[in-house]
Amino acid sequence: LEARTEEVFRQLLRDSAIEPNEVTFSLMVQAYKHSWRKAEDVFQRMERRQVRANTVIYSQMISVHSSAKRWQTALSYLASMQEKRFQPNLVTYSSILKGLSRAGLWEEAIRVYERCERELGGSLDSVLLNALLDSLRRAGEWEKALSFARDESRVGMANVDTVNTLLGSCHTVDQSLGVLQFGLGLLLKPDTITYNTIMHKCATKAQWEKCIWVFRHMKQTGVTPDTQTYNTVINAFNKAGQWRRAVAMIAYIKNQGLECDTVTFNSVMSACSKAGEVDTAYFLFSKMESEAISRDEATYSIMISCFGQAQRWQAALAVFQYMHRDQVSANLVIYNSLMDAYGRGRQWALAVGVFDSLAEKSLKPDTFSFSTLINAHCISRKWPQALSAYEAMKAKRIKPMPVTFTPLAHSLSTSQRGYSTGSSGSSSSPEIGRERALALMNDMKAASVQPKIYNLLKRDYQTWGAFDENGRSDFSGDEGSWDERSEFDDDDAEDSSRL
C-alpha cells in the first residue's frame, strides 16, 4: 500500500496539469507516519514547491518524530510552527508529550504541559493530561503523577484511563489501592484493566490476601473478570507459596464458564514445583495434553526443573524427549533446567554434555548456564572442574551472580581443609589453592555477594578447618544446592518409560 501511494504521489508530481496542495502533502506525511526519513522528504518537497504548511502538517511531523524518539526535532518543528504564527492545538501538544515520554524527559514534559495550559486554557482534555502522566509513569515518579492529577484545575479532566496510567507508576500495593480510592472518589468506574493492574501489583509483592480482596471488589462493582484476571490471582498464589489454592483455581475458572490457557497451567505448575509437589505438577502437565491445551517452552522448563529439584533426572530427561511430540523447540532456559536436573542427580558428565552441545545448537551460554554447570561439578565433588568452569566463564566475560560463588566457596574451602589434614587426591598445590581463594574473594567483593557467602570463604581461607568430616559448614546454603546431601540412588530413580 505504501509503495502504491508513493507511485501515485510521484505521478502527481510529474503531471504539470495538477498542482499538489497542502492536503496532498498531508496525506503523504500520514502515509509515512512510521518512517520519519520519508516524511522529511515529503516535507522538503512541499517547501521546494512553496506549498505553505498548516497546523495539521506540523502536528503530523511532530507526531512522526516523537514516535521515532526524535524529541529535539519534534520541538524544533513546534518552534518553527510558532514562528510562522500557527497556533498549536491539542493534537500538537499531545504528540510532543508522547515523544518526551518515550525519551524519559518528564521534566521537559511538565514544562510543555504547563505552557499548553497557558496557551489553550480551559480547552485541555484528558488525552493531554494522560500523556503527561504517562511520562511520569515511565520515570517512576508516582508522587508527582498523583499530585499533578489531584490538582483542582486538572481533576475534572480525569477519566478511567487517568486512573490506569497512575496505577502504572505505583511502586507498592498500598499506593495502588490509594489510586483506586482516588478514582472512586471521582465517581469513576474502574474497568478490567484497573483491577488487573492492581492485582498484578499484589501478585508481584506476594500479597495474595489483598489480591483476593481486590478480586472480590471487582465483582462487587460489576466488572467482569477475564482469563487474565484469574491468571493473576493464580500468580499471586504462586508467589506466596499457596500451591493448593492455585490448583483449586483451575476448577473455579471452569465453573465461571471460562477456559484455562497455557499461562494458567504454567503458573499452577510453577506453584507446585516450588512447593515440591512433583506428582501434582506432572498430573497438570499430562492434563494439558488431554484437554488439548498447548504446552510451550515455559511448560517444559517448569516440569524439567520440577523433576530436577526432586533429583529425578531420568524423569526430567523423559519430559525433555516429549518436546518433539509437541513440536516445541528447546531454548537456553530448557537446556539450563536439564543441566540442573543432571547436576542434582550427580550426573555431572551428562551436564557437561548438555553444556558442550549448546554451541552446536547456536545457543550462547549465559550466567545461568555456567552457574548450573559449576554447581553440577560441586555436587559431585569435582572441585577442579568447577574452578575451570568458573575461569572459562570469566574468560568469556560473563558476569557471575552471587549464587555462582556459593558452590565455589564451598569447593575451595573443602579443598584447603584437605590440605590442612594431609588428605591426598587433590591435583593442586596449597599455594595455587590460596591464590585462587584470594582471586575468588576479590571477585565476590566486586559482585556484591551476601556477606555470609564471602565470610564463609574468608574464614576458611584463614583457618582451613571450618568444615566437618563430611565437608559441611554451618552455612545455611540457601544461595545454592551444593550442600544438599543427595539421597539420589540410581536404583530408585524414576524410569522414563513410566511417564
Side-chain angles (χ1 to χ4, degrees), residues 144-338:
K144 286 185 173 62
L146 188 59
S147 174
F148 215 86
R150 281 179 169 172
D151 188 277
E152 292 183 0
S153 63
R154 306 180 184 106
V155 72
M157 294 183 289
N159 58 15
V160 68
D161 290 333
T162 307
V163 175
N164 294 341
T165 304
L166 287 172
L167 286 172
S169 65
C170 294
H171 302 293
T172 67
V173 174
D174 290 340
Q175 288 176 352
S176 299
L177 294 176
V179 170
L180 175 64
Q181 187 62 39
F182 166 71
L184 295 173
L186 297 178
L187 302 180
L188 298 174
K189 183 179 179 180
D191 58 12
T192 306
I193 296 175
T194 308
Y195 284 109
N196 286 353
T197 304
I198 300 174
M199 291 165 62
H200 176 72
K201 182 63 66 177
C202 294
T204 57
K205 300 298 182 180
Q207 298 185 23
W208 68 270
E209 297 96 335
K210 289 185 178 179
C211 184
I212 293 300
W213 181 89
V214 175
F215 175 75
R216 290 172 178 167
H217 191 280
M218 179 182 190
K219 299 189 75 174
Q220 289 172 357
T221 54
V223 179
T224 304
D226 57 12
T227 302
Q228 182 181 346
T229 308
Y230 291 109
N231 287 344
T232 305
V233 174
I234 293 173
N235 190 37
F237 291 147
N238 180 11
K239 297 286 186 182
Q242 299 289 325
W243 70 272
R244 288 186 176 86
R245 287 185 167 90
V247 172
M249 281 297 295
I250 293 179
Y252 185 82
I253 292 172
K254 293 180 179 178
N255 290 337
Q256 302 303 309
L258 296 174
E259 295 293 332
C260 298
D261 58 12
T262 304
V263 175
T264 308
F265 275 88
N266 285 354
S267 189
V268 178
M269 286 171 56
S270 177
C272 294
S273 176
K274 291 176 182 178
E277 294 295 325
V278 182
D279 293 336
T280 305
Y282 183 68
F283 171 78
L284 295 170
F285 178 82
S286 302
K287 194 176 183 64
M288 292 179 72
E289 182 177 17
S290 63
E291 296 190 3
I293 297 174
S294 60
R295 298 185 288 209
D296 59 8
E297 292 88 348
T299 311
Y300 279 95
S301 176
I302 293 168
M303 196 65 247
I304 292 171
S305 178
C306 186
F307 277 128
Q309 291 172 16
Q311 299 174 353
R312 294 163 65 177
W313 66 270
Q314 289 178 328
L317 175 60
V319 170
F320 178 79
Q321 292 171 342
Y322 273 179
M323 294 182 64
H324 75 278
R325 293 173 51 186
D326 286 344
Q327 297 182 339
V328 176
S329 299
N331 55 22
L332 184 60
V333 175
I334 292 176
Y335 282 112
N336 288 347
S337 298
L338 184 61

Side-chain angles (χ1 to χ4, degrees), residues 451-472:
K452 59 183 179 181
I453 305 176
Y454 174 78
N455 291 337
L456 166 67
L457 179 59
K458 183 177 180 181
R459 182 188 65 227
D460 292 323
Y461 169 64
Q462 294 170 344
T463 65
W464 309 118
F467 283 80
D468 62 20
E469 60 184 2
N470 295 318
R472 289 186 176 215

